[in-house]
Amino acid sequence: MDLNYSAEDLAFRDSVRAFLAAQLPPELQDKVRRHLRLSKEDFVRWHKIVAAQGWAAPAWPVEYGGPGWNATQRHIWEDECARAGTPPILPFGVNMVAPVIMAFGNDEQKAYYLPRILNCDDWWCQGYSEPGAGSDLAALKTTAVRDGDHYIVNGQKTWTTLGQYADMIFCLVRTDPTVRKQEGISFLLIDMKTPGITVRPIVMLDEEHEVNEVFFDNVRVPVANLIGKENKGWTYAKYLLGHERTGIAAVGRSKRELAFLKALALRQQKGGQPLLRDPLFAAKVANLEIELMALEVTVLRTIAQEHQGPGPQASVLKVKGTEIQQMLTELMVEAVGPGALPFDPAYLEGETEHAAGGDDDAAPLAGYYFNYRKTSIYGGSNEIQKNIITQMILGL
Amino acid sequence: MDFSYKEEQQQFADALRRWAERDYTFERRRAIIHSDAGVSPEAWATLVELGMTALPVPEAQGGFAGNAVDMLVVMQELGRALVVEPYFATVLGARFLQLAGGQEELLARVAAGEVKLACALTEAGSRHDLAAIAAVATGTPDNMGVSGIKTVVLHGGQADAFIVSARHQDAIALYLVEADTAGVAIRDYRTIDGLRAATVSFDHAPATPLGAPGQGWDILEAATDYGAALLCAESIGVMDALFAATLEYLKTRQQFGAPIGKFQALQHRMADMFIHLEQARSMAMLAAVKVDSADPEERRRVVSAAKARVGQAGKFVGQQAVQLHGGMGVTDELPASHLFKRLTTLGLTLGDADHHIERFIAQPGFGETD
Ligand SMILES: Cc1cc2nc3c(=O)[nH]c(=O)nc-3n(C[C@H](O)[C@H](O)[C@H](O)COP(=O)(O)OP(=O)(O)OC[C@H]3O[C@@H](n4cnc5c(N)ncnc54)[C@H](O)[C@@H]3O)c2cc1C
């Protein structure tokens, strides 16, 4: 057993670090590190910088524009990005729809969409969930009825993350209502500018506009936008879920946030000494740090087994990763105490230089804590992940 | 033993509940939060009319001399309806005045609903330590001035006068400062849970000493213990509402062809929430009974135990309720997320669970065995 990076891995890491040091715009880094809200331009700007380097899609095969990295290199890249505080490369195009297009799309679809995804020419969003179909995704009701060269789409999607900016949405739609609910589902790509589409904001509990409802009223979608075969969409969707990366654990970001938490707790005073020296608080931080160490090794073990293909093990990473992320935000709020109470959206949007309550560090923390309750709900709730563990791994 | 409410207490609660259900709906509250003022003069007028401001004030000042158990009933209802009006700040201020003695005229005006008070106790970096005071008072007893900056002063922007903690010749002392007097600057803002708070700067602001010299800390502790007991009661009201909303959601939300409440994983979670809530309710009652009557050591012990236990329950019930609501739980649309946010800030106000566990440990009785 050898739990160290090889010399090549370390050299690779240094090259990544050099790239980030040279190319990550300081104002973006600053926003990320201070927990301010990112704009559409922020996401696109960073994506294009990374695309210019040829690194925007680390998991893609070289023939489609991937960098040809192995699993360890991909992990190092993600870890270093998170450590530096880059905006995320949004997963909807690169990690969600693209693998499905590669595996099941036709040549025209590949030739058209993949380069545009790589370069962030289109902003993609995910249209799976519906008001009546959340954890029970196969209960979806949005219909697509064939009419010559088009499908006529009617229904409603919800929770569409950042759909307000989207050019394209990939949707699961029902093309055959007469069969078992997992059958009769198709995978459609829909241009958001098509007449009949309405996007309505859903405001989150921290008052951020992050998700949307998307309504389809007789929306005409060319049959050319169908991926693979009609009524086989559920298979593709499952393929996509199986494709979830180890990045779901967010170890890199949690390491950066742990460092932030510690710095915060060193600045906060309790009984005349830094809060981080307080035994009660220090023990909580230590427990969290140990949990994060364990998760990192679990992630590395998963990567080392990657030739066996992704499996239900990802559920372990999702549950633990989100628990750690949530605990980090919880301890940040605890660290500042009543200082977390002032609420100043203008500051979070970067419209004012200093926060209303006077403590710029503390200003985003309560909202961050509230917002991060989502992580154990979306992408398959933690209860659903535990069902997967008990059924698929434990055979109960 | 008798854990029931007296008839008048139940009447107070019913009156408040009826008003909230009719006039202080979730939508109405939302409009108030997003208004410039952030509070509602009509709602305040109703609270006054229902006798809420008179309730804790002694009869000699035109009040009803209500005890903390009477207030428990009131605070539970205000919590249930997520009332954002400056009631708690005013009542806590009145407690300071009462404990300090004097100021009868001001108390009478509080009872009549003519003035609102706010307590300027915390400073940048003081976290939960109310003795971490950098503000100073200088001058002679009849010509005092307070200087310093107080942060997160709940409803500081709506107050007519402040109770201010400051250091005078190294001792902690309390002062009354008018809001519209020279040397007071107020920056009002929203809090994360939809209430209002302010940063209040005092620059040689004319100040009236409260209480006898040397009593400052004792009064401060006793008054904030009373406040903490009230916040425990409010938390119970918030948790009751959140628990009921979650239970209802589990019975109605269908996934996989069944109400999600049929999944045992969620049933056990609900059971755990219920257990937390019952333990917290017991402690809130105990605190309300003891905060008036117990000797200071016992009072500290019980109030800290209650604030710690209620805080832990608030965190558990709040987080689980959001989780069980799925995506709907993290939106601004349902009361659930607002109740969760209020529970969070109640937990952070006048000492969080850890702070009170430490205070509990520090009480003399803790190290003794018999
Ligand atoms: C911020 C955010 C962003 C999102 N982004 C997107 C997006 O871009 N595109 C998209 O398509 N979707 C998106 N989603 C939707 C997300 O995938 C769903 O919210 C999630 O699948 C849960 O569904 P639900 O909200 O309907 O909750 P429900 O399914 O109603 O679940 C409610 C509760 O019941 C539990 N539960 C349900 N079934 C079971 C069971 N069998 N056993 C035990 N417990 C169970 C859940 O765990 C949860 O606690 C997003 C959600 C959020 C909150």
Side-chain angles (χ1 to χ4, degrees):
Chain A
M1 220 177 270
D2 179 3
L3 298 186
N4 293 307
Y5 281 135
S6 68
E8 296 90 80
D9 292 338
L10 291 175
F12 175 79
R13 190 180 69 184
D14 289 342
S15 71
V16 168
R17 282 190 181 170
F19 166 75
L20 292 172
Q23 298 288 330
L24 174 58
E27 58 283 12
L28 285 188
Q29 182 180 49
D30 190 52
K31 264 188 163 181
V32 172
R33 287 189 170 173
R34 287 165 61 207
H35 309 107
L36 301 185
R37 293 174 179 172
L38 296 172
S39 67
K40 174 183 183 179
E41 289 67 39
D42 293 334
F43 287 109
V44 174
R45 183 177 172 198
W46 177 239
H47 189 129
K48 289 202 181 273
I49 291 171
V50 180
Q53 179 78 4
W55 294 354
W60 287 17
V62 177
E63 56 168 317
Y64 296 122
W69 291 341
N70 63 31
T72 307
Q73 289 172 317
R74 295 202 296 273
H75 174 75
I76 289 172
W77 161 249
E78 277 176 19
D79 203 45
E80 291 300 323
C81 283
R83 207 178 86 114
T86 71
I89 301 280
L90 290 177
F92 306 109
V94 170
N95 292 318
M96 294 180 133
V97 75
V100 172
I101 293 175
M102 280 176 212
F104 307 105
N106 58 38
D107 289 343
E108 264 166 62
Q109 288 166 337
K110 289 182 203 171
Y112 179 74
Y113 291 115
L114 295 179
R116 298 180 61 84
I117 291 171
L118 197 58
N119 196 39
C120 200
D121 292 333
D122 297 318
W123 182 291
W124 282 85
C125 63
Q126 180 191 25
Y128 279 17
S129 305
E130 298 183 9
S135 298
D136 184 13
L137 191 53
L140 63 93
K141 288 202 169 71
T142 297
T143 56
V145 177
R146 187 78 182 254
D147 177 29
D149 289 344
H150 286 82
Y151 288 103
I152 314 291
V153 178
N154 279 290
Q156 181 194 347
K157 294 291 172 183
T158 191
W159 307 121
T160 320
T161 298
L162 299 175
Q164 70 266 38
Y165 303 135
D167 304 298
M168 296 292 296
I169 182 168
F170 58 97
C171 281
L172 292 178
V173 292
R174 191 159 296 285
T175 34
D176 184 353
T178 63
V179 290
R180 216 166 62 91
K181 69 177 182 178
Q182 284 82 2
E183 289 157 21
I185 291 174
S186 297
F187 196 103
L188 264 192
L189 314 182
I190 304 178
D191 186 333
M192 290 293 281
K193 284 183 285 294
T194 323
I197 298 182
T198 314
V199 178
R200 195 188 75 89
I202 299 175
V203 178
M204 294 274 288
L205 77 175
D206 57 344
E207 294 188 21
E208 186 160 3
H209 175 193
E210 178 177 332
V211 284
N212 303 270
E213 291 178 294
V214 181
F215 298 89
F216 298 89
D217 180 16
N218 288 321
V219 175
R220 294 180 68 81
V221 181
V223 169
N225 287 19
L226 175 76
I227 294 290
K229 293 201 180 66
E230 202 177 86
N231 297 332
K232 291 285 170 238
W234 187 250
T235 317
Y236 312 153
K238 272 201 309 197
Y239 170 84
L240 195 164
L241 293 181
H243 227 266
E244 283 282 15
R245 307 140 310 134
T246 47
I248 201 168
V251 167
R253 187 175 54 209
S254 288
K255 283 196 282 188
R256 187 185 77 240
E257 296 295 15
L258 178 68
F260 176 90
L261 170 66
K262 285 182 167 180
L264 189 70
L266 280 171
R267 286 194 293 274
Q268 293 288 327
Q269 292 290 304
K270 178 173 170 188
Q273 59 172 356
L275 177 62
L276 194 59
R277 304 272 173 261
D278 172 68
L280 202 53
F281 195 81
K284 290 190 194 184
V285 177
N287 279 321
L288 189 58
E289 182 164 352
I290 292 164
E291 201 73 2
L292 181 56
M293 285 167 73
L295 180 64
E296 183 169 24
V297 179
T298 308
V299 166
L300 293 169
R301 278 170 57 209
T302 310
I303 288 170
Q305 296 162 354
E306 210 186 44
H307 55 276
Q308 298 170 3
Q313 194 71 23
S315 293
V316 175
L317 306 183
K318 161 88 205 288
V319 170
K320 222 0 130 184
T322 54
E323 282 177 4
I324 289 171
Q325 291 170 54
Q326 291 181 336
M327 187 49 100
L328 279 163
T329 65
E330 196 172 316
L331 289 185
M332 285 177 199
V333 170
E334 261 185 44
V336 294
L341 265 61
F343 177 55
D344 188 354
Y347 174 74
L348 299 179
E349 298 289 354
E351 289 159 15
T352 54
E353 207 185 326
H354 292 295
D359 186 345
D360 294 346
D361 267 348
L365 298 182
Y368 184 30
Y369 165 63
F370 295 144
N371 183 287
Y372 259 53
R373 304 315 301 174
K374 72 187 176 189
T375 61
S376 52
I377 294 166
Y378 65 24
S381 73
N382 283 14
E383 287 76 21
I384 296 298
Q385 303 299 336
K386 287 177 189 175
N387 287 350
I388 293 173
I389 292 172
T390 49
Q391 286 157 24
M392 314 258 293
I393 305 182
L394 308 180
L396 288 172
Chain B
M1 275 189 202
D2 179 11
F3 285 96
S4 60
Y5 296 124
K6 292 198 301 263
E7 205 179 306
E8 311 88 83
Q9 290 170 335
Q10 197 55 53
Q11 281 165 1
F12 258 118
D14 292 346
L16 270 175
R17 178 102 51 114
R18 274 197 303 274
W19 162 71
E21 284 175 359
R22 195 182 58 231
D23 292 339
Y24 210 84
T25 60
F26 184 57
E27 285 316 310
R28 177 80 192 107
R29 173 184 181 269
R30 190 196 293 273
I32 295 169
I33 288 175
H34 291 284
S35 68
D36 285 343
V39 294
S40 157
E42 295 85 46
W44 182 258
T46 307
L47 290 174
V48 174
E49 209 175 291
L50 290 173
M52 298 305 148
T53 50
L55 183 60
V57 174
E59 280 170 3
Q61 281 86 48
F64 301 149
N67 61 23
V69 178
D70 298 321
M71 292 300 288
L72 170 93
V73 173
V74 168
M75 293 305 291
Q76 282 185 171
E77 292 307 320
L78 298 181
R80 186 188 311 278
L82 285 178
V83 172
V84 299
E85 310 305 323
Y87 182 73
F88 171 73
T90 298
V91 163
L92 179 60
R95 185 70 174 188
F96 271 98
L97 298 183
Q98 228 177 297
L99 290 171
Q103 298 298 335
E104 285 86 4
E105 203 192 313
L106 186 57
L107 265 174
R109 297 187 65 205
V110 167
E114 293 164 11
V115 294
K116 301 182 187 93
L117 304 173
C119 304
L121 309 175
T122 49
E123 302 185 3
S126 66
R127 285 182 80 250
H128 304 293
D129 186 0
L130 293 175
I133 299 169
V136 290
T138 48
T140 56
D142 36 67
N143 188 16
M144 272 288 173
V146 169
S147 297
I149 300 174
K150 296 289 178 175
T151 56
V152 205
V153 179
L154 277 177
H155 284 120
Q158 290 72 45
D160 302 291
F162 296 102
I163 315 309
V164 187
S165 60
R167 291 200 173 268
H168 178 59
Q169 297 166 349
D170 279 347
I172 292 173
L174 299 166
Y175 299 89
L176 184 70
V177 177
E178 305 280 331
D180 62 356
T181 192
V184 175
I186 300 168
R187 182 168 182 202
D188 170 62
Y189 52 78
R190 278 167 73 190
T191 56
I192 194 88
D193 54 345
L195 274 70
R196 290 275 165 161
T199 304
V200 187
S201 314
F202 301 93
D203 183 12
H204 294 289
T208 311
L210 293 174
Q215 273 194 330
W217 177 247
D218 290 344
I219 295 173
L220 179 60
E221 255 203 319
T224 50
D225 272 351
Y226 176 80
L230 261 48
L231 294 181
C232 287
E234 184 176 350
S235 303
I236 299 300
V238 180
M239 276 191 269
D240 274 334
L242 189 50
F243 186 85
T246 309
L247 186 60
E248 181 62 23
Y249 198 75
L250 257 61
K251 288 178 179 169
T252 47
R253 171 70 174 166
Q254 304 264 333
Q255 292 283 278
F256 304 101
I260 56 173
K262 290 286 169 223
F263 301 123
Q264 199 169 54
L266 306 194
Q267 291 172 346
H268 285 189
R269 209 79 63 78
M270 260 336 255
D272 284 334
M273 287 162 68
F274 186 71
I275 293 166
H276 268 283
L277 181 46
E278 288 309 307
Q279 290 285 85
R281 194 189 311 281
S282 299
M283 290 307 282
M285 287 175 163
L286 185 67
V289 169
K290 296 280 184 178
V291 77
D292 283 325
S293 59
D295 65 70
E297 259 174 34
E298 177 70 354
R299 185 199 74 218
R300 285 187 206 108
R301 207 174 77 85
V302 169
V303 168
S304 277
K307 190 72 170 61
R309 188 63 189 91
V310 172
Q312 290 162 346
K315 201 175 249 187
F316 185 82
V317 170
Q319 292 180 351
Q320 295 307 326
V322 168
Q323 179 71 19
L324 297 185
H325 274 84
M328 290 309 297
V330 288
T331 68
D332 188 54
E333 288 174 26
L334 296 189
S337 67
H338 296 260
L339 291 158
F340 166 56
K341 291 197 281 185
R342 183 72 191 126
L343 272 181
T344 305
T345 60
L346 283 166
L348 294 173
T349 308
L350 295 184
D352 68 2
D354 283 2
H355 171 83
H356 283 287
I357 286 171
E358 285 189 331
R359 189 166 174 254
F360 184 83
I361 292 170
Q363 297 314 307
F366 183 76
E368 291 163 18
T369 55
D370 41 33

